[in-house]
Short mmCIF file of all heavy atoms in Angstrom, two decimals:
data_model
loop_
_atom_site.label_atom_id
_atom_site.label_comp_id
_atom_site.label_asym_id
_atom_site.label_seq_id
_atom_site.Cartn_x
_atom_site.Cartn_y
_atom_site.Cartn_z
N SER A 1 104.31 83.70 93.99
CA SER A 1 103.01 83.30 94.49
C SER A 1 103.13 81.92 95.12
O SER A 1 104.08 81.18 94.84
CB SER A 1 102.00 83.25 93.34
OG SER A 1 101.78 84.57 92.86
N GLY A 2 102.20 81.58 95.96
CA GLY A 2 102.22 80.27 96.62
C GLY A 2 103.32 80.14 97.64
O GLY A 2 103.77 79.03 97.91
N PHE A 3 103.78 81.26 98.19
CA PHE A 3 104.83 81.30 99.22
C PHE A 3 106.13 80.66 98.71
O PHE A 3 106.84 80.01 99.46
CB PHE A 3 104.36 80.59 100.50
CG PHE A 3 102.96 80.96 100.92
CD1 PHE A 3 101.93 80.05 100.80
CD2 PHE A 3 102.70 82.24 101.39
CE1 PHE A 3 100.63 80.40 101.15
CE2 PHE A 3 101.41 82.59 101.74
CZ PHE A 3 100.37 81.68 101.64
N GLY A 4 106.45 80.92 97.47
CA GLY A 4 107.64 80.33 96.88
C GLY A 4 108.74 81.34 96.61
O GLY A 4 108.55 82.56 96.74
N GLY A 5 109.88 80.83 96.24
CA GLY A 5 111.02 81.66 95.90
C GLY A 5 111.64 82.32 97.12
O GLY A 5 111.56 81.80 98.22
N CYS A 6 112.21 83.45 96.91
CA CYS A 6 112.87 84.19 98.00
C CYS A 6 111.87 84.56 99.08
O CYS A 6 110.71 84.82 98.79
CB CYS A 6 113.51 85.45 97.45
SG CYS A 6 114.74 85.16 96.18
N MET A 7 112.35 84.60 100.33
CA MET A 7 111.48 84.91 101.46
C MET A 7 112.20 85.86 102.41
O MET A 7 113.39 85.74 102.63
CB MET A 7 111.14 83.61 102.20
CG MET A 7 110.37 83.80 103.48
SD MET A 7 110.10 82.23 104.36
CE MET A 7 111.66 82.04 105.17
N SER A 8 111.46 86.82 102.95
CA SER A 8 112.04 87.68 103.97
C SER A 8 112.03 86.94 105.30
O SER A 8 111.21 86.08 105.54
CB SER A 8 111.22 88.98 104.10
OG SER A 8 109.93 88.66 104.58
N GLY A 9 112.97 87.28 106.16
CA GLY A 9 113.04 86.63 107.47
C GLY A 9 114.45 86.21 107.81
O GLY A 9 115.39 86.52 107.09
N ALA A 10 114.60 85.51 108.91
CA ALA A 10 115.90 85.01 109.40
C ALA A 10 116.92 86.14 109.45
O ALA A 10 116.83 87.00 110.30
CB ALA A 10 116.39 83.85 108.56
N ASP A 11 117.91 86.15 108.56
CA ASP A 11 118.98 87.15 108.60
C ASP A 11 118.54 88.49 108.07
O ASP A 11 119.19 89.50 108.31
CB ASP A 11 120.18 86.66 107.78
CG ASP A 11 120.83 85.44 108.40
OD1 ASP A 11 120.70 85.26 109.63
OD2 ASP A 11 121.42 84.64 107.66
N HIS A 12 117.45 88.54 107.32
CA HIS A 12 117.00 89.80 106.72
C HIS A 12 115.57 90.07 107.13
O HIS A 12 114.62 89.93 106.36
CB HIS A 12 117.13 89.72 105.20
CG HIS A 12 118.54 89.73 104.73
ND1 HIS A 12 119.31 88.60 104.67
CD2 HIS A 12 119.34 90.76 104.36
CE1 HIS A 12 120.51 88.91 104.24
NE2 HIS A 12 120.56 90.21 104.05
N ILE A 13 115.37 90.46 108.38
CA ILE A 13 114.06 90.83 108.92
C ILE A 13 113.62 92.13 108.25
O ILE A 13 114.42 93.07 108.15
CB ILE A 13 114.10 91.02 110.44
CG1 ILE A 13 114.62 89.78 111.14
CG2 ILE A 13 112.74 91.43 110.98
CD1 ILE A 13 113.79 88.54 110.96
N LEU A 14 112.39 92.20 107.78
CA LEU A 14 111.89 93.42 107.18
C LEU A 14 111.75 94.50 108.26
O LEU A 14 111.42 94.22 109.40
CB LEU A 14 110.51 93.19 106.54
CG LEU A 14 110.50 92.34 105.30
CD1 LEU A 14 109.06 92.10 104.85
CD2 LEU A 14 111.32 92.97 104.18
N ARG A 15 112.03 95.72 107.87
CA ARG A 15 111.85 96.86 108.76
C ARG A 15 110.73 97.73 108.22
O ARG A 15 110.56 97.83 107.01
CB ARG A 15 113.14 97.68 108.85
CG ARG A 15 114.28 96.90 109.54
CD ARG A 15 115.47 97.75 109.91
NE ARG A 15 115.17 98.92 110.69
CZ ARG A 15 115.00 98.93 112.01
NH1 ARG A 15 115.03 97.83 112.69
NH2 ARG A 15 114.77 100.07 112.62
N ALA A 16 109.96 98.32 109.13
CA ALA A 16 108.89 99.19 108.70
C ALA A 16 109.47 100.38 107.93
O ALA A 16 110.56 100.86 108.22
CB ALA A 16 108.13 99.69 109.92
N GLY A 17 108.75 100.80 106.91
CA GLY A 17 109.15 101.92 106.08
C GLY A 17 109.42 101.46 104.66
O GLY A 17 108.90 100.45 104.19
N SER A 18 110.24 102.21 103.97
CA SER A 18 110.53 101.93 102.56
C SER A 18 111.19 100.55 102.38
O SER A 18 112.02 100.14 103.19
CB SER A 18 111.47 102.99 101.99
OG SER A 18 111.85 102.65 100.69
N LEU A 19 110.81 99.83 101.32
CA LEU A 19 111.42 98.55 101.01
C LEU A 19 112.64 98.68 100.12
O LEU A 19 113.28 97.68 99.79
CB LEU A 19 110.38 97.61 100.39
CG LEU A 19 109.28 97.17 101.33
CD1 LEU A 19 108.20 96.39 100.58
CD2 LEU A 19 109.83 96.34 102.47
N GLU A 20 112.96 99.90 99.70
CA GLU A 20 114.15 100.10 98.89
C GLU A 20 115.38 99.69 99.69
O GLU A 20 115.57 100.09 100.83
CB GLU A 20 114.29 101.58 98.48
CG GLU A 20 113.39 101.99 97.39
CD GLU A 20 113.67 103.40 96.90
OE1 GLU A 20 114.09 104.25 97.70
OE2 GLU A 20 113.43 103.64 95.72
N GLY A 21 116.18 98.84 99.13
CA GLY A 21 117.41 98.38 99.78
C GLY A 21 117.21 97.20 100.73
O GLY A 21 118.17 96.57 101.12
N GLN A 22 115.99 96.89 101.11
CA GLN A 22 115.74 95.72 101.97
C GLN A 22 115.74 94.47 101.08
O GLN A 22 115.21 94.46 99.99
CB GLN A 22 114.41 95.84 102.72
CG GLN A 22 114.42 97.01 103.69
CD GLN A 22 113.28 96.89 104.69
OE1 GLN A 22 113.17 95.91 105.41
NE2 GLN A 22 112.44 97.90 104.74
N LYS A 23 116.37 93.41 101.61
CA LYS A 23 116.55 92.19 100.80
C LYS A 23 115.81 91.03 101.42
O LYS A 23 115.57 90.98 102.60
CB LYS A 23 118.02 91.88 100.67
CG LYS A 23 118.78 92.97 99.94
CD LYS A 23 120.20 92.63 99.73
CE LYS A 23 120.85 93.77 98.96
NZ LYS A 23 122.22 93.47 98.63
N TYR A 24 115.45 90.05 100.56
CA TYR A 24 114.80 88.84 101.03
C TYR A 24 115.73 88.06 101.95
O TYR A 24 115.40 87.74 103.07
CB TYR A 24 114.35 87.95 99.87
CG TYR A 24 113.16 88.48 99.16
CD1 TYR A 24 113.24 89.06 97.89
CD2 TYR A 24 111.89 88.37 99.72
CE1 TYR A 24 112.13 89.51 97.21
CE2 TYR A 24 110.76 88.83 99.05
CZ TYR A 24 110.88 89.39 97.81
OH TYR A 24 109.78 89.84 97.15
N GLY A 25 116.91 87.71 101.47
CA GLY A 25 117.93 87.08 102.30
C GLY A 25 117.80 85.58 102.52
O GLY A 25 118.79 84.91 102.63
N VAL A 26 116.61 85.02 102.62
CA VAL A 26 116.44 83.61 102.89
C VAL A 26 116.47 82.82 101.59
O VAL A 26 116.04 83.34 100.54
CB VAL A 26 115.11 83.38 103.67
CG1 VAL A 26 114.90 81.91 103.95
CG2 VAL A 26 115.17 84.15 104.98
N LEU A 27 116.89 81.62 101.62
CA LEU A 27 117.04 80.73 100.46
C LEU A 27 118.10 81.25 99.47
O LEU A 27 117.93 81.19 98.28
CB LEU A 27 115.69 80.56 99.74
CG LEU A 27 114.56 79.95 100.57
CD1 LEU A 27 113.27 79.93 99.78
CD2 LEU A 27 114.91 78.56 101.03
N SER A 28 119.17 81.78 100.04
CA SER A 28 120.30 82.29 99.23
C SER A 28 119.88 83.39 98.28
O SER A 28 120.44 83.52 97.20
CB SER A 28 120.97 81.16 98.47
OG SER A 28 121.45 80.19 99.38
N CYS A 29 118.88 84.13 98.63
CA CYS A 29 118.40 85.24 97.78
C CYS A 29 119.01 86.56 98.29
O CYS A 29 118.84 86.92 99.46
CB CYS A 29 116.89 85.34 97.82
SG CYS A 29 116.06 83.97 97.07
N ASP A 30 119.65 87.26 97.42
CA ASP A 30 120.19 88.55 97.76
C ASP A 30 119.46 89.61 96.92
O ASP A 30 120.04 90.57 96.46
CB ASP A 30 121.71 88.57 97.45
CG ASP A 30 122.39 89.73 98.17
OD1 ASP A 30 121.88 90.17 99.22
OD2 ASP A 30 123.40 90.21 97.64
N THR A 31 118.18 89.37 96.72
CA THR A 31 117.33 90.21 95.85
C THR A 31 116.57 91.22 96.72
O THR A 31 116.12 90.89 97.80
CB THR A 31 116.30 89.33 95.10
OG1 THR A 31 117.01 88.32 94.40
CG2 THR A 31 115.45 90.12 94.16
N THR A 32 116.42 92.44 96.22
CA THR A 32 115.66 93.43 96.98
C THR A 32 114.17 93.14 96.93
O THR A 32 113.65 92.62 95.95
CB THR A 32 115.92 94.87 96.46
OG1 THR A 32 115.58 94.94 95.10
CG2 THR A 32 117.36 95.29 96.67
N VAL A 33 113.47 93.49 98.00
CA VAL A 33 112.05 93.22 98.14
C VAL A 33 111.21 94.23 97.36
O VAL A 33 110.13 93.90 96.88
CB VAL A 33 111.65 93.25 99.64
CG1 VAL A 33 110.18 93.01 99.83
CG2 VAL A 33 112.49 92.26 100.43
N ASN A 34 111.70 95.45 97.22
CA ASN A 34 110.95 96.52 96.58
C ASN A 34 110.38 96.11 95.22
O ASN A 34 111.10 95.68 94.34
CB ASN A 34 111.83 97.76 96.44
CG ASN A 34 111.07 98.99 96.05
OD1 ASN A 34 109.95 99.21 96.52
ND2 ASN A 34 111.65 99.78 95.17
N ASN A 35 109.08 96.24 95.07
CA ASN A 35 108.36 95.93 93.83
C ASN A 35 108.58 94.50 93.34
O ASN A 35 108.64 94.26 92.12
CB ASN A 35 108.74 96.90 92.72
CG ASN A 35 108.25 98.30 92.97
OD1 ASN A 35 107.18 98.49 93.55
ND2 ASN A 35 109.02 99.29 92.59
#
């Protein structure tokens, strides 16, 4: 919350559709976005 932590963008642009397997990527986060 508050636009903190991992963020999507830059090297890991979100794609329309399922978020399974899509990663945040920014701020050294290699975490999946799903849920």
